[in-house]
Amino acid sequence: MRSEREISTSAVTRRGFLKRVGATAGTAALASAVSLPFVSTALAQVKTLKILQWSHFVPQYDKWFDGFAAEWGKKNGVTVTVDHIPHLELPARAAAEVSAGAGHDIFAFNGSGGPHLYEKHVADLGSLVSEVEKKHGKVHQIGRQIAYNEDTKVWSALPAYYISFPGLYRKDLWDEIGMKPDTWEDIHVGGAKLKAKGAPIGIALGHSVDPNLSYRSMLWSYGASECDQTGKRVTINSKETLEVVKLVRAIYKDAMEPEVLSWDDASNNRYLASGRGSWIHNPISAYRSIQKATPELADKIYVWKTPAGPIRRLACGAPNSYVVWRFARNKDTAIEFLRYWTDNWVAAFEASTGYNHPLFENLVPKPMPILSNDPTSHPADKLQVLETADEWHATYGYPGPAGPASDEVADNFIVVDMMAKAATDKATPEEAVAWAQKEIELIYKKWSAA
């Protein structure tokens, strides 16, 4: 992670921006004189736009975004500041800004605990989403989970992108044991064989974003979930969940090492980069870092879909979204910027080196650049499987709609702690599942009464 930084662009010219919205009160008068519709001068009068987002795991994307924002500000006479903070600090920062009723105009959420929790404090972006859909196709289901409230019919955020969770594996090591990590049972059996050879697999079991995603992926693949499709009834206490908890316990003991209990979101990246790890469940940022540092190791690392279970193949993707606070000083400017950012999404996708996945069906037409033919990968089509990621991803709340309850369950790491309790013998699998049911029920009851 990098420390917080800021870019700022000085106001230079408003010509491009004012062409759209009118420059002065005189513009409105002129429109009236010639019987034209009134054009708001609100955007012309603002001079600043403040954006906060996480420090991206692909630094190249932050560099692109900062330059993109600066150039947009320069063209439109707006001083833009972009602040970056570590992703795990976003929830506390959001709470602080809401409490103060002041802060940034645009706030980017990464992971859980975002738009649903703060719906009362954000602008409804339904008109912007409708406009984007007309230009770039329908929003994917995962985008609706991220940003839409099925009950209130409010778009509390603009679906920005999701981060896919495939498996990254050492093909040379898996070839030695004659296996491919295609199912969760493969991860157990193959992982145990590779641990015996000194190359364990690694899935974090601590309080960070990655395990929240990985263990939900496992649950869904076995037909288990924390709630039903209505998003109202808690269903974690099931025979399917118990099967997964027992499997995680076995994987931890047979195919991993105790260090995973203290891993953060960068630990499995470092583990694969060490040359010792044989498989991790992670976005391609780990692969990108290894490409730069150790190209010969990167050539041995392949990417495949999230492992399948007996019911389905489904991963939990990390959701990313943009909200515009109701207390933002420059809401119209913020929406104008997000509209422009979306219209330039192919460039954003390329800048992320294929890490950010689109949430509108035609934003990045197939074959996708980078993923379909990456000149830095050997072979060049190594990442092509990620073009199908929208087919095997959902996010928090599945199979129901996401909401504040599902976000809070994730923020409290209840699913992860359920797995860890059983894996470390602090509870039997049955006790761990019963504990999780009670904890999750408390959260869902609280929000149903809110």
Side-chain angles (χ1 to χ4, degrees), residues 80-128:
V80 182
T81 59
V82 183
D83 298 324
H84 300 265
I85 63 174
H87 65 297
L88 293 179
E89 295 180 11
L90 288 171
R93 178 64 70 89
E97 295 199 3
V98 168
S99 178
H104 294 80
D105 300 294
I106 297 174
F107 195 102
F109 282 104
N110 169 277
S112 61
H116 299 298
L117 290 175
Y118 293 106
E119 184 177 319
K120 295 179 180 178
H121 303 280
V122 300
D124 183 355
L125 298 182
S127 295
L128 176 61

Side-chain angles (χ1 to χ4, degrees), residues 260-324:
V260 299
L261 294 167
S262 60
W263 273 6
D264 61 23
D265 288 324
S267 297
N268 58 353
N269 300 44
R270 292 192 293 266
Y271 180 58
L272 191 64
S274 72
R276 187 162 173 263
S278 57
W279 182 92
I280 64 172
H281 197 223
N282 199 74
I284 61 170
S285 53
Y287 172 67
R288 292 304 194 197
S289 298
I290 295 169
Q291 277 186 301
K292 293 181 179 180
T294 319
E296 61 275 14
L297 175 60
D299 288 346
K300 299 175 182 177
I301 295 171
Y302 276 59
V303 179
W304 187 237
K305 299 176 182 179
T306 191
I311 303 300
R312 59 178 67 89
R313 186 191 303 273
L314 191 63
C316 186
N320 285 258
S321 59
Y322 283 115
V323 303
V324 176

Side-chain angles (χ1 to χ4, degrees), residues 77-208:
V78 179
T79 299
V80 182
T81 59
V82 183
D83 298 324
H84 300 265
I85 63 174
H87 65 297
L88 293 179
E89 295 180 11
L90 288 171
R93 178 64 70 89
E97 295 199 3
V98 168
S99 178
H104 294 80
D105 300 294
I106 297 174
F107 195 102
F109 282 104
N110 169 277
S112 61
H116 299 298
L117 290 175
Y118 293 106
E119 184 177 319
K120 295 179 180 178
H121 303 280
V122 300
D124 183 355
L125 298 182
S127 295
L128 176 61
V129 173
S130 295
E131 183 179 337
V132 175
E133 283 190 310
K134 289 178 182 177
K135 289 182 181 179
H136 303 294
K138 289 292 184 181
V139 63
H140 291 308
Q141 179 58 33
I142 190 172
R144 294 181 69 88
Q145 283 182 280
I146 290 170
Y148 187 64
N149 186 321
E150 300 286 352
D151 294 327
T152 63
K153 311 303 181 187
V154 168
W155 284 94
S156 55
L158 173 70
Y161 56 91
Y162 71 98
I163 302 167
S164 68
F165 259 68
L168 277 62
Y169 70 104
R170 282 281 301 276
K171 187 176 185 300
D172 57 326
L173 298 179
W174 284 82
D175 284 350
E176 287 179 10
I177 61 172
M179 294 182 68
K180 180 178 180 177
D182 185 55
T183 70
W184 287 111
E185 185 61 26
D186 291 338
I187 299 303
H188 178 212
V189 175
K193 292 179 179 180
L194 290 167
K195 181 179 178 179
K197 289 176 168 287
I201 64 105
I203 311 173
L205 257 175
H207 285 191
S208 57

